[in-house]
Amino acid sequence: MTKAKAAVAKLSIDLNDPQYYFNRDLSWLKFNDRVLHEALDERTPLLERLKFLAVFSSNLDEFFMVRVSGLMDQVQVGVHPKTPDGMPPAQQLEAIRGHLREKLAEQDRVFKQTLCPELRQHGAYLLDYADLEQAQKVHLKAYFEKRIFPVLTPLSVDPAHPFPRMSNLSLNLAVRVENPENGTQKLARVKVPGSLPRFVTLPEPLNIYQGETYLWVGVPLEQVIAEHLDFLFPGMTIKDHHLFRLTRDADFPVKEDEADDLLLAIEQEISKRRLVGFICRLEVASTMPADLCQGLMQELKVTENEVYEIDGLLNLKDLFFFLSLPLPDLKDKHWSSITPPRLRPVVDLDENGEEVFVEHAPNIFAAIREGDILVHHPYESFTKSVQEFITQAAQDPKVLAIKITLYRTSGDSPIVHALIRAAENRKQVVALVELKARFDEENNIVWAKQLENAGVHVVYGLVGLKTHTKTTLVVRLEGDEIRRYVHIGTGNYNPKTSKLYTDLGLFSCRGDLGADLSDLFNFLTGYSLQRAYRKLLVAPLTLRDRMVALIQREIDHAQAGGTGKIIAKMNSLVDGRIIRLLYEASQAGVQIDLIVRGTCCLRPGLPGISENIRVISVIGRFLEHSRIFYFYNADQEELYIGSADWMTRNLDRRVEAVVPVEDVKLKDEIKTILEISLKDNRQAWELQPDGQFIQRRPAADEPELSTHAVIMAQTLQKVS
C-alpha cells in the first residue's frame, strides 16, 4: 500500500468506535482470572496456590463493593454513562454474572478436588464435621461451649422480630426451627463470628484421622456451630440450616464541599458502610432449598441477578490461614530484601579478617549528596531505605522540616511513629493524610488523630481530589545553606505491602526537584495557583498534557522517518484519550510495549490500528505496582516513574507526581527491569486482539525466565 493510500485508510478509521475498546470491568475480570490461574498452575507451590484462591476471592469482594454496586446504581437511576466501549450498565452486569458463574465453579472445583487432596498428602486435613472421630467431636463440643457459644447471638425472624440488619461480608447460618408443641416453624439467623478463627484446629493429641496422626487437622468454624445449634435453640427441633453471605455497596459518597469537618464526615460514612449500603451480592450454599433462598431474597430485597450459588466453602478469602502451616517446602522460597548497596553499613576487617561494623547506618543524607539513589522494593529493603530516610530525618538536629503524603500505611506504622518523634523534636512536620483512600479510611483517621495530638500539621487534601502522590520532602540546614532532600516513589509508605508489591523510589537532593516538591506541598496545604513545575509532572495540572506531548513526539519522530518507541508499565490502562493517541502512534509506526498488570481497555494487534502495540501482564509472587514510562526520543531517552496509571481518575481527579530519572546509571537499571519483564516466559500473559490472554511458555530450547526470579538473582549479585 502506498503512503497516500495508507493515509486515506487511516482517515477512514474512526478511533472512537467502541469496537476498538475493551470494557473496563470485563477486562478486570480477566485480570482476576489470571490470579485464579496461579492457583490452578501446578508449578506454583501448594500453599501459594491456596493463597491465590484467597486473593481471587478478596479481589472479588472489593469488585462487588465498588464496581458492581456502581453499575447497579446506574441501572437503578437510569443513567447510561458514555464509555469508550459503549456497553450499557445492564449489559455489563449480565456479562459479569455470566463470566463469574464459570470461574466460581472452577475455584470451588480446584479447591475441593485438587488442593485439599494434595494438602492431605502433606499431613494437613481440612475435614467435614461428619468425618471426625468420636474423641474429636467430644473435644469440639467442649470447645464450642467454652469458646464459641458465649459469642453467638441467635436472632429470630417473626412479626415481633423483623429481619435483622446484617453487616457487610458477614457469614451467616439461616436456621429453620420447629416448635414440637404446636408444629410451627420459625426462621432464625446465626452470625458466624469474624472474631474467631475460621478454621478450628484440633489439639496435637487429636490430630488423628483414620488411625493415623497428621501435622494438622481442622474443621470450618461454621460446621462446629451448625452441629451444636441445639445449644442456641433449646427445646426446639432443628429442621435445617444453610450458609449465606452478603456483600454491600461500600463506595460511599462524601459531599466534601458541604462538610465543615472532612474527618468527621468520613467517620460518619464509615460507620454506615458496614450496615447501610444496599446488598449487591448474596452468596448462598448450593444446598439451600429454593423456598428458603426465595425467603432470604425477599427479606434482603435482592433479585436472582444478585444471587450466587456456591458449591463448597463460602468466603475462600480465609484460605490465607494455610500459609501459617509449618510447611516451608510448599511455599515460595523466603526472600530477604537486601539493603541498597549505597546505604549498606560501613564495615572493616579485624585482625582475623572478620567483618566489623564501623557505622551501622550510614548517614543517608551524605549518600544522597553523592548522587541520586534508586531503590526497588521488595528486592531492596524499604526499611533500610525509605523508612531509614524518615527515621534519620526525625532524629537529625540539622533537619528543620519534614513534609509527606500518606495515602495508605500499615496498622502499626513505623513511619507515623517517626513523624511523631520529629514533631516532639520540635521539627516542622506536615502530613497530608488522604482520608478518602478506599477501605483504608478508618486506619488513616486513627493515624491522623495521633499525628495531630503530637503536634504534626495534618492536612486532609483538596476538595474533589484524592491525593495519591508518594512523596517526602526533608528540609535540612547545612552550614549556611538550606538543602532539600526528596523521595518520590510509585508505592505507598507501607512497610507491610513493601514486602509484597514491586515499587520504585528515587532519592535526590537536586535543587529543581526540591523546589518542585516545595511548590507541590504549598499547592496541597495552602492557597496556590501554581501550575508550572521545573521537572515534576503533576496531576491534575501538567501530567496529562505532558504525557500527550511525549507520545506525540514519538509520533513526530516516526512520521519523519526516524524511530518511535514507547514502553509503559502500569497497573491499569483505561483513559480513552490516551488510548486513542496510542492508536495514532501505532498507525504512525511507533513501536509500543505495554506492561499492564490489571485492567487494559486497549485492543492490541488490530490491523491498521494497533498492530505495533503489544500488551503483556505479569502475575506472580509479587504484585507488580511500579509505574514506569519510557520514550526513545531519537536516542535521547527519557524515563519517568511515579504514582499515576493511565486512567482518567489518575490524570484528572487525583493529585499525582511523576518524576524524570536523569542519572544514566539509574536509567539503565530501569531499562533492565522493563527488558526482563518483556522477556518473561513464566509469569507473563500476552493480550490478544479478541481480549483473551495467552500465557507465555518457554520454547523447548529456551530457559524459563521469571521476572521476579531473575530480578531476585540480579539483586543478590549486587551484594555478593
Side-chain angles (χ1 to χ4, degrees), residues 15 271 298 480 485 701:
L15 294 180
S271 68
Q298 184 176 349
D480 295 329
Y485 295 82
D701 58 344

Side-chain angles (χ1 to χ4, degrees), residues 246-289:
L246 53 86
T247 308
R248 294 185 179 277
D249 165 41
D251 194 23
F252 60 77
V254 177
K255 297 180 180 179
E256 299 174 62
D257 52 345
E258 299 176 13
D260 294 327
D261 186 331
L262 183 59
L263 186 144
L264 179 60
I266 298 267
E267 283 185 307
Q268 291 171 344
E269 292 296 338
I270 289 172
S271 68
K272 296 177 187 176
R273 173 189 279 168
R274 194 171 61 89
L275 293 169
V276 173
F278 66 84
I279 296 171
C280 54
R281 177 177 58 168
L282 174 62
E283 298 169 276
V284 300
S286 59
T287 57
M288 181 178 288

Side-chain angles (χ1 to χ4, degrees), residues 506-524:
L506 180 72
F507 291 102
S508 180
C509 61
R510 285 158 38 198
D512 46 15
L513 290 181
D516 273 353
L517 268 197
S518 290
D519 288 341
L520 178 59
F521 276 102
N522 289 340
F523 169 70
L524 293 172

Side-chain angles (χ1 to χ4, degrees), residues 368 372 483-486 506-515 535 659-663:
I368 296 171
D372 290 359
R483 194 188 299 269
R484 288 174 286 202
Y485 295 82
V486 306
L506 180 72
F507 291 102
S508 180
C509 61
R510 285 158 38 198
D512 46 15
L513 290 181
K535 292 291 184 178
V659 62
V661 177
E662 298 183 339
D663 181 280

Side-chain angles (χ1 to χ4, degrees), residues 480-646:
D480 295 329
E481 180 185 357
I482 291 286
R483 194 188 299 269
R484 288 174 286 202
Y485 295 82
V486 306
H487 171 264
I488 303 167
T490 69
N492 298 306
Y493 291 110
N494 188 324
K496 292 183 179 178
T497 58
S498 72
K499 295 180 174 64
L500 304 172
Y501 294 11
T502 69
D503 275 303
L504 293 166
L506 180 72
F507 291 102
S508 180
C509 61
R510 285 158 38 198
D512 46 15
L513 290 181
D516 273 353
L517 268 197
S518 290
D519 288 341
L520 178 59
F521 276 102
N522 289 340
F523 169 70
L524 293 172
T525 63
Y527 297 105
S528 170
L529 297 177
Q530 178 80 25
R531 297 194 65 86
Y533 290 85
R534 301 154 189 83
K535 292 291 184 178
L536 283 184
L537 311 184
V538 176
L541 303 173
T542 64
L543 178 59
R544 178 185 285 280
D545 288 347
R546 184 57 182 155
M547 284 293 171
V548 166
L550 291 168
I551 298 170
Q552 184 62 51
R553 188 175 63 189
E554 296 303 311
I555 295 175
D556 295 341
H557 286 313
Q559 289 177 334
T563 298
K565 184 177 180 182
I566 298 169
I567 307 174
K569 180 180 182 296
M570 65 199 78
N571 296 323
S572 299
L573 172 56
V574 172
D575 185 74
R577 290 159 62 187
I578 293 289
I579 292 173
R580 282 192 293 275
L581 191 59
L582 292 173
Y583 286 157
E584 291 178 19
S586 174
Q587 291 175 327
V590 178
Q591 298 298 313
I592 303 170
D593 282 309
L594 302 173
I595 306 165
V596 184
R597 185 194 80 228
T599 304
C600 180
C601 297
L602 177 148
R603 293 185 82 154
L606 296 175
I609 297 171
S610 57
E611 68 263 42
N612 292 316
I613 303 177
R614 175 174 56 159
V615 179
I616 68 165
S617 172
V618 175
I619 304 291
R621 69 177 290 177
F622 301 133
L623 184 142
E624 289 294 326
H625 193 254
S626 58
R627 289 90 166 184
I628 304 171
F629 307 98
Y630 165 93
F631 302 93
Y632 180 67
N633 188 28
D635 206 25
Q636 302 297 309
E637 298 167 315
E638 290 190 18
L639 262 165
Y640 298 81
I641 65 170
S643 59
D645 293 316
W646 279 345

Side-chain angles (χ1 to χ4, degrees), residues 200-264:
V200 182
T201 299
L202 291 167
E204 191 170 330
L206 294 177
N207 278 1
I208 298 170
Y209 182 60
Q210 296 180 344
E212 294 189 29
T213 301
Y214 294 97
L215 170 74
W216 180 87
V217 177
V219 291
L221 174 62
E222 62 268 24
Q223 292 189 13
V224 180
I225 295 172
E227 289 296 325
H228 299 93
L229 288 172
D230 53 316
F231 282 80
L232 297 170
F233 305 98
M236 304 293 284
T237 302
I238 310 298
K239 301 299 291 183
D240 62 354
H241 52 79
H242 303 275
L243 275 174
F244 68 97
R245 181 175 184 257
L246 53 86
T247 308
R248 294 185 179 277
D249 165 41
D251 194 23
F252 60 77
V254 177
K255 297 180 180 179
E256 299 174 62
D257 52 345
E258 299 176 13
D260 294 327
D261 186 331
L262 183 59
L263 186 144
L264 179 60

